[in-house]
Amino acid sequence: MSNKYDVIIIGAGAAGMMCAIESGKRGKSVLLVDHAAKIAEKIRISGGGRCNFTNINTNPKNFISQNPNFSISALNQYTPDDFIELIKKHNIAYHEKTLGQLFCDHKSQLIIDMLLSECNQVNVKIKKCFVVDKVEKVNDDYIVINNNDKYFSKSLVIASGGLSIPKIGATDFGYKIASQFNLNIVETQPALVPLTFTDEILSLCNELSGLSLNANISQGNISFEEGMLFTHRGLSGPSILQISSYWSQGDSININLCPRDNLGEILQDKKNTKPKQNIISILCEFLPKRLAMIICDKNKFKGNISELSKQSLDKINNIINSWHVTPKGSEGYRTAEVTRGGVDTDEISSKTMMCRNHPGLFFIGEVVDVTGHLGGYNFQWAWSSGFVAGQYT
Ligand SMILES: Cc1cc2nc3c(=O)[nH]c(=O)nc-3n(C[C@H](O)[C@H](O)[C@H](O)COP(=O)(O)OP(=O)(O)OC[C@H]3O[C@@H](n4cnc5c(N)ncnc54)[C@H](O)[C@@H]3O)c2cc1C
């Protein structure tokens, strides 16, 4: 029957394409379907159009999951070096930007073209604009129904991603299929997402919109030191996106606006050694001028440092080295880079990505409860989990 395949993969993103290539290399007949007219859109828009395709420092500690050990097997079976080898085979130029993050020198489309060419070499059949109306299981067969047409396979791989950026095709399809097969889902929430504020903090963010600086953001014992950006809605930039993956409604976060210096000690020292120095000029040595001026203006810190009480100096120290704020919320799935939570890893074998209780049913990529930090880790998870499933379909 022409609609019979060894493997059907739903979702032609990073994980789905990698799984298709690997299944195809093993001689399997593969159908890769996507409801979108343009596949792998997230690869195209990723990394500001240059795709941060992996991170050479990838480690299971860079992933959030209810089971922190779940990612180990897949990351060992397919490493950043393995993906770099593929990139080199296709002569795609790349560079390390910072912190082990590898980006394409040119457009992300080159990665999509590479994956399509690999799919083509192993005869993967790709169908776009393919809406899955229903999935059924009859005996050993998975049946995917589209427009009254039935497609049969022994292996069904769900690679439909998470909920972030619905505008380019994200849906809850994977979670619905998981529910259909009675699989537990770890509550989902937007992650790697800007945080929003109200009242005075929002008005401060508005005034400083566009300004960025290096900051250390912490919540409990988790902290990140990278860039932070003031925006019209609140705070963004890598350090905020990173902490957002750990943040829940009602939590406060601690921001150190000058993480390399202890302002408390410095101000005390200046008061003793340079009492006539103006407080604004002192703060401008450690902070961007606009920020230093706004902090002084809002708190009425002015004049020479000798004129400021110990209480005022402590307040300055607190604002700069330990600014405690409670976000009102996040920008949500509209701008989140990823979805935290997803199909419970207890339901899936970490060695094969196959469901423990449903032979032939696989979940890979972002739909699973494995969420990477910012910096190329999410694609590495997509490549690794896709590769692994491709060995067992
Ligand atoms: C703006 C942005 C920038 C990012 N930059 C980076 C980066 O530089 N580095 C990094 O590591 N990560 C980055 N990420 C995260 C990364 O893109 C994702 O983690 C990764 O794409 C997940 O791969 P996936 O294959 O699981 O899902 P996706 O890539 O989301 O692919 C899922 C596919 O399934 C399809 N689909 C969805 N629902 C259905 C349905 N009902 N029927 C059929 N098909 C369906 C979608 O159309 C899509 O093609 C970024 C994300 C965003 C939003």
Side-chain angles (χ1 to χ4, degrees):
M1 202 189 301
S2 63
N3 282 352
K4 214 163 178 184
Y5 293 85
D6 294 322
V7 187
I8 298 178
I9 302 168
I10 303 177
M17 289 175 96
M18 179 57 88
C19 180
I21 294 163
E22 290 302 316
S23 302
K25 279 186 192 165
R26 290 173 45 242
K28 303 282 175 179
S29 57
V30 182
L31 173 66
L32 174 61
V33 303
D34 203 295
H35 70 149
K38 275 178 153 184
I39 59 170
E41 271 296 86
K42 281 211 184 137
I43 298 181
R44 193 180 58 77
I45 63 167
S46 66
R50 295 271 191 271
C51 189
N52 176 196
F53 55 81
T54 190
N55 192 303
I56 52 174
N57 302 322
T58 298
N59 181 296
K61 291 200 179 94
N62 302 118
F63 296 87
I64 305 168
S65 169
Q66 275 198 353
N67 177 355
N69 295 325
F70 185 80
S71 61
I72 295 174
S73 176
L75 294 173
N76 283 339
Q77 290 182 66
Y78 192 81
T79 65
D81 280 344
D82 292 322
F83 194 75
I84 292 167
E85 206 175 294
L86 184 62
I87 292 277
K88 284 184 176 162
K89 181 178 141 195
H90 286 260
N91 294 318
I92 297 178
Y94 66 92
H95 60 279
E96 181 182 343
K97 196 168 175 188
T98 174
L99 304 170
Q101 302 167 5
L102 301 191
F103 282 77
C104 295
D105 285 359
H106 307 290
K107 286 185 181 164
S108 319
Q109 182 64 42
L110 293 175
I111 303 272
I112 304 175
D113 295 344
M114 171 188 85
L115 295 168
L116 283 172
S117 139
E118 291 278 325
C119 281
N120 196 28
Q121 272 178 38
V122 292
N123 301 316
V124 172
K125 172 131 181 130
I126 300 179
K127 282 182 183 271
K128 301 178 197 174
C129 302
F130 185 106
V131 176
V132 178
D133 298 321
K134 210 170 168 192
V135 168
E136 290 175 352
K137 174 130 197 240
V138 177
N139 302 323
D140 283 351
D141 280 332
Y142 288 93
I143 308 170
V144 173
I145 303 169
N146 154 263
N147 266 339
N148 296 325
D149 290 332
K150 291 187 172 182
Y151 297 80
F152 300 81
S153 67
K154 294 279 179 238
S155 293
L156 177 66
V157 183
I158 307 299
S160 52
L163 296 166
S164 57
I165 327 263
K167 205 172 69 184
I168 57 161
T171 69
D172 61 357
F173 177 82
Y175 313 119
K176 281 193 174 144
I177 296 295
S179 301
Q180 180 186 333
F181 286 89
N182 292 317
L183 305 180
N184 188 42
I185 293 168
V186 174
E187 192 188 346
T188 54
Q189 67 174 62
L192 298 182
V193 63
L195 296 175
T196 56
F197 292 84
T198 48
D199 307 325
E200 296 120 76
I201 297 180
L202 178 62
S203 79
L204 178 78
C205 292
N206 252 308
E207 281 179 71
L208 291 169
S209 183
L211 186 140
S212 65
L213 75 168
N214 187 55
N216 183 298
I217 322 281
S218 58
Q219 186 183 313
N221 54 6
I222 306 287
S223 71
F224 294 94
E225 190 177 320
E226 289 180 60
M228 184 185 89
L229 174 72
F230 290 90
T231 75
H232 284 297
R233 291 196 188 85
L235 295 173
S236 187
S239 55
I240 290 287
L241 299 187
Q242 299 278 33
I243 212 73
S244 75
S245 298
Y246 292 86
W247 181 83
S248 298
Q249 195 71 43
D251 290 345
S252 61
I253 56 173
N254 197 62
I255 303 178
N256 188 338
L257 295 166
C258 187
R260 305 284 161 88
D261 297 292
N262 181 331
L263 259 286
E265 282 175 12
I266 289 169
L267 293 177
Q268 200 48 58
D269 183 55
K270 293 258 187 199
K271 192 169 176 176
N272 296 334
T273 56
K274 293 186 178 163
K276 295 222 164 106
Q277 208 177 347
N278 183 280
I279 186 64
I280 299 182
S281 334
I282 294 174
L283 295 189
C284 284
E285 290 173 30
F286 300 93
L287 296 174
K289 189 172 174 196
R290 257 166 86 202
L291 178 59
M293 290 184 69
I294 279 191
I295 289 175
C296 289
D297 187 47
K298 293 218 180 288
N299 294 285
K300 305 200 168 31
F301 302 139
K302 57 181 179 194
N304 296 341
I305 188 160
S306 60
E307 293 160 31
L308 292 171
S309 64
K310 165 138 191 352
Q311 215 181 8
S312 296
L313 294 187
D314 285 346
K315 192 170 175 194
I316 298 175
N317 178 28
N318 274 338
I319 293 169
I320 295 174
N321 278 149
S322 185
W323 186 31
H324 232 64
V325 294
T326 306
K328 175 196 159 240
S330 80
E331 288 189 8
Y333 290 116
R334 189 181 58 82
T335 62
E337 283 201 11
V338 284
T339 301
R340 186 179 168 184
V343 180
D344 193 333
T345 54
D346 280 354
E347 307 280 8
I348 302 169
S349 153
S350 62
K351 194 178 151 216
T352 64
M353 300 305 294
M354 186 159 70
C355 290
R356 293 185 186 285
N357 296 324
H358 300 282
L361 180 62
F362 297 75
F363 285 82
I364 55 172
E366 199 180 313
V367 72
V368 179
D369 172 34
V370 174
T371 309
H373 288 168
L374 187 77
Y377 303 104
N378 283 296
F379 277 133
Q380 187 56 45
W381 170 246
W383 315 134
S384 295
S385 57
F387 173 91
V388 166
Q391 310 310 308
Y392 294 93
T393 45

